[in-house]
Amino acid sequence: MAKINLKYIAHFSLLTGKLEEGIEVREKTTVSDLIKRLEQKYGGFEEALIDEKTGRLNSRNKVAIRKAGGWTENITTLEGLNMELSDGDTLIFW
Amino acid sequence: MCGWRGTILNVDLSSGKIDKEKLPEDMARDYLGGRGFNIKTLYQELEPGVEPLSPENILVFGTGPLNGTPLGCGRMTVTTKSPQTGFFVEGNNGGFFAPELKFAGYDIIVIRGRADKPVYLWIKDEKVEIRDASHIWGKTTWETDRIIKEELGDPEIQLRYIGPAGENLVNTSIILGNLARAGGRGGAAAVMGSKNLKAIAVRGSGGVKIARPREFQEALLEIWEDLDVDGSKDPFTRIWGLYGSPIVLRIQQEYGTLATNNGQEGVFEKVMDISGEEFLKNYVVKPKACFCCQSPACSHWCEVRDGPYAGTRTEGIQAGSTEALGSYCGISHLPAIIKGHALCNELGIGMFSTGTTIAWAMEAFEKGIISSKDTDGLELRFGNHEAMLQLIRKIAYREGFGDLLADGVKKASEKIGKGSQDFALHVKGLEYTAVEPRSSHVAALMHAVNDQGSDHTRAYPPYPPSPQAVPQEIVEKLPFDLRKASDDSIPDEKGKFLKWLFDSRATLNCLEFCLFNSRARTFADFRPFAKAITAATGMKFSADDLMEVGERVINLERSFNAREGAGRKDDTLAKRYLQEPFSKGGKAGFLPPLEELLDQYYEARGWDPETGVPTRGKLGELGLGEVADQLETLAKQMQGKHDGKD
Ligand code: SF4
């Protein structure tokens, strides 16, 4: 299991009713899997992040990742969505 | 004229002479309005070397062809020569003054000379008078707002005024209107104060004629589409439209670029206490916005209800307020930040410059460079909000230690010395603002080459457009490689991108369309603006024509500064930004390769890479041949003086 930090800003703090939380995910969980999980838990994540026509991330909201010790990078591509999460990663939704 | 009102109002405070002049059609076409009109006027009228606080300096208040139409918002530009930097300085204020000035029949006001006692200007349509202001000299901006409206008997009068800081010739003073709409960092208010001009009041009963209303409305709807909080493809539309900019604080925190303790770090441990979410939950009373703006929560009316600052009511808290008076100074007490914001507005000083200067003093204090003997007994440690609030007053009234800080961080650090200049955060003498230079290559370059000094407002937003938001044919025509420009792990294409960003934002400032609202498609696709301006004025403009105006304005601004001796040597950053990376957070370790970025920028601009000054070829292309002649003559004179000394 990997411990992941989630930061919810603006719209996403309204969706979740939280500013941040920590969760555990199984090994090989991808960013995309995590978004699905948050969609099930809170609703509104897929609509906010994914373009329903193309299935790609839209430009209306952002999801970014910071690997432990690394820079915060916006996730913009399919490879980004398929990235596997590791212990200590922080995901930022805004 | 359609779009423009066609009149320049000239006011000479020395002689009391007021006259009106026709707005030349070629000036309207070549400079559009606002920022463009102002620099054109300033360049034309001021001899190099004019003392900024002398009667020979001028103040220009310029509106654009869109002000007074539903597209124009309330933005306008004030430009003068800065007592702080010695270069030009401009402020882009929002509110309701600009449309009112258009309704009264004017595009520009030019203030010259110096009154022999405090006065204010009262413009009521064609009637313009200079009135006594002795009874409001010394009053705060809020008192001034109330007194003038009461004595003229009209609560709808629109005003621009200065507070005690401008009267006391504080370098970091600013001009305000509508209680909280501020602009003119670098001492525009001190210039107004030096002229004994407390305020300008305006009321108009006319309107702005639109040449082709139906086409104008079509363009307006295209532009407004990008501002729909649910539909917009820009992530900041919803933030500005629904929550307001203080929300940005936690975004900066997560990207590791929230300047903290005078920029020693990019992460503020107590960010939650001063976050936008905290502000919205506990302090906001109602949203407020400028004239006709589609971004209704950009500004907020807020109140502190309990604690030591209970009863504080103010407007316009932005992310900048919570950064400058918060994280820069290590302050996590949100009511104190709100109080500080209210004080800055009421006393008429800029909160960015004030926060940066106080943060510098706090670091100097903590490092033992200054002590409580220097600071009138204040324990200037990071986080001491009581000390910060006392210092704001002292700066505005030039009292004790505040007198030193009133000249701004560059001059204060030069006086104190002992290495404190290394962490005095400014460019060209103007204090750092908002977008941390170590956040990206573009941000670093943007601050360094900005002609008015450190500033984020002339290249906003400081990231490339999204290919998903902009039509493909526009993406293909962009004068930079969008993929490389968007990749911040490499410096490539940043010079070309920043040139495009500066030029396009300058165009918007000339139209006086708010930069916050050029989002998504219209961030890069200027065809709707060309359509709007053509329909408004009846003169034909293409998107390329508009971009050329922006480039002309930037070249003239740089030429103004070049006449004052500025060049590549001034396009630099504080030592901290070049040598001290953040140790933690989402941008740890990054330092901008500034010299490489400068080379890229000058090349993209067609400027001399050694001097950073526009070349004759570039100026000629933009119809500024006479400016090239003048710069060459001045360069020869300088060379002559230099040779004479040798
Ligand atoms: S976005 Fe804000 S600053 Fe710009 S015009 Fe609207 S209310 Fe004014």
Side-chain angles (χ1 to χ4, degrees), chain B residues 259-279:
Chain B
T260 298
N261 292 357
N262 198 35
Q264 293 181 86
E265 278 306 342
V267 175
F268 185 42
E269 303 303 340
K270 298 179 181 164
V271 69
M272 289 302 196
D273 296 344
I274 62 169
S275 68
E277 289 86 349
E278 173 68 17
F279 175 61

Side-chain angles (χ1 to χ4, degrees), chain A residues 73-91:
Chain A
E73 310 274 6
N74 288 333
I75 296 173
T76 53
T77 60
L78 273 180
E79 294 102 78
L81 274 176
N82 292 332
M83 190 191 314
E84 288 180 9
L85 298 171
S86 355
D87 200 45
D89 286 355
T90 300
L91 274 117

Side-chain angles (χ1 to χ4, degrees), chain B residues 307-523:
Chain B
Y309 306 114
T312 304
R313 307 167 86 214
T314 192
E315 190 196 321
I317 300 269
Q318 297 286 341
S321 325
T322 46
E323 291 157 7
L325 305 177
S327 61
Y328 295 8
C329 297
I331 288 171
S332 59
H333 194 280
L334 191 48
I337 294 169
I338 296 171
K339 179 72 187 174
H341 171 98
L343 273 178
C344 284
N345 281 350
E346 288 167 38
L347 300 174
I349 45 175
M351 69 198 76
F352 278 120
S353 290
T354 303
T356 300
T357 305
I358 293 176
W360 164 82
M362 287 174 162
E363 184 169 345
F365 188 95
E366 293 209 341
K367 288 190 161 144
I369 294 172
I370 54 174
S371 72
S372 54
K373 283 195 195 118
D374 304 295
T375 63
D376 312 327
L378 293 175
E379 279 292 305
L380 268 189
R381 299 198 178 279
F382 286 115
N384 185 347
H385 56 86
E386 285 100 350
M388 176 187 73
L389 294 177
Q390 285 191 48
L391 259 187
I392 290 174
R393 282 185 202 279
K394 282 174 175 285
I395 292 170
Y397 290 101
R398 283 193 173 274
E399 282 170 14
F401 185 59
D403 188 36
L404 177 83
L405 302 191
D407 286 332
V409 79
K410 176 173 186 276
K411 288 184 182 156
S413 68
E414 284 166 358
K415 277 192 193 144
I416 294 292
K418 299 180 192 165
S420 68
Q421 298 99 317
D422 291 351
F423 54 85
L425 306 182
H426 68 87
V427 173
K428 302 181 178 79
L430 195 64
E431 291 78 11
Y432 155 73
T433 64
V435 177
E436 167 56 55
R438 289 160 293 181
S439 64
S440 70
H441 293 91
V442 172
L445 186 58
M446 162 188 91
H447 283 284
V449 298
N450 197 319
D451 283 308
Q452 69 166 10
S454 189
D455 164 71
H456 65 289
T457 61
R458 290 150 61 92
Y460 188 86
Y463 49 77
S466 161
Q468 286 163 281
V470 180
Q472 188 56 28
E473 68 270 22
I474 297 294
V475 170
E476 281 163 12
K477 272 182 62 186
L478 287 172
F480 52 90
D481 180 319
L482 183 54
R483 191 188 56 78
K484 285 187 185 159
S486 307
D487 181 351
D488 201 43
S489 65
I490 50 172
D492 309 40
E493 292 292 295
K494 305 302 184 287
K496 283 188 202 163
F497 165 59
L498 188 70
K499 175 201 179 282
W500 173 87
L501 187 65
F502 267 134
D503 289 351
S504 56
R505 305 308 99 176
T507 299
L508 294 171
N509 285 154
C510 294
L511 296 173
E512 293 300 353
F513 184 80
C514 182
L515 259 52
F516 286 148
N517 289 342
S518 164
R519 298 274 182 209
R521 173 188 168 195
T522 56
F523 182 3

Side-chain angles (χ1 to χ4, degrees), chain A residues 7-11 13-14 19-20 57-62 64 66 70-72 74 90 92 94, chain B residues 230 232-236 238-239 243 247 250-251 254-255 272 277 466 468 488 585-588 590:
Chain A
K7 307 280 181 174
Y8 304 123
I9 301 177
H11 182 56
S13 70
L14 294 181
L19 297 174
E20 57 188 342
L57 285 160
N58 65 33
S59 57
R60 185 152 54 103
N61 293 291
K62 293 264 180 238
R66 184 169 66 250
W71 286 1
T72 304
N74 288 333
T90 300
I92 303 120
W94 59 281
Chain B
D230 282 326
S232 173
K233 292 180 176 166
D234 183 284
F236 285 104
R238 191 184 304 212
I239 287 179
Y243 314 114
I247 287 288
R250 284 184 60 230
I251 299 175
E254 294 308 328
Y255 285 72
M272 289 302 196
E277 289 86 349
S466 161
Q468 286 163 281
D488 201 43
K587 205 69 190 190
F590 174 72

Side-chain angles (χ1 to χ4, degrees), chain A residues 13-67:
Chain A
S13 70
L14 294 181
L15 284 180
T16 60
K18 294 174 184 160
L19 297 174
E20 57 188 342
E21 68 180 323
I23 59 163
E24 292 202 342
V25 297
R26 289 215 186 93
E27 294 212 347
K28 298 208 180 299
T29 298
T30 63
V31 174
S32 182
D33 297 333
L34 179 75
I35 292 173
K36 283 196 189 98
R37 180 166 154 186
L38 295 171
E39 171 69 26
Q40 276 167 10
K41 189 169 173 193
Y42 299 111
F45 271 69
E46 287 184 345
E47 193 208 335
L49 292 167
I50 311 286
D51 183 323
E52 57 179 1
K53 280 190 209 137
T54 62
R56 290 170 179 263
L57 285 160
N58 65 33
S59 57
R60 185 152 54 103
N61 293 291
K62 293 264 180 238
V63 51
I65 187 163
R66 184 169 66 250
K67 295 267 174 202

